[in-house]
Amino acid sequence: MKATKIVEHARQLLDAHGDKAEAEAAQRANDLELKGKTEDAENWRRVRAAIHEMRPPHVS
């Protein structure tokens, strides 16, 4: 999957799931990995990483 599509999916997931978007992407990656769809799972891991980068840093 191209980088532009990764970012597009990440933004859509953030809009739809908010704070839970990163967990949603990770769950999709795990589900696909269990089904043997490793390439698709890797794409969802990249989406999760993009979501992580888009989120503001946590302040303690």
Side-chain angles (χ1 to χ4, degrees):
M1 187 181 299
K2 292 184 179 184
T4 54
K5 281 290 190 186
I6 296 291
V7 172
E8 184 179 319
H9 281 296
R11 288 180 199 266
Q12 289 174 351
L13 227 54
L14 272 171
D15 288 344
H17 296 279
D19 289 342
K20 297 179 182 179
E22 197 171 341
E24 179 67 25
Q27 183 63 52
R28 289 184 189 190
N30 287 338
D31 291 346
L32 288 164
E33 189 73 40
L34 289 173
K35 293 177 183 177
K37 298 181 178 185
T38 55
E39 186 175 331
D40 291 336
E42 182 57 32
N43 285 331
W44 278 104
R45 287 187 190 94
R46 292 174 63 203
V47 170
R48 190 210 57 79
I51 291 167
H52 184 78
E53 291 295 318
M54 289 177 184
R55 296 180 69 190
H58 292 286
V59 178
S60 50

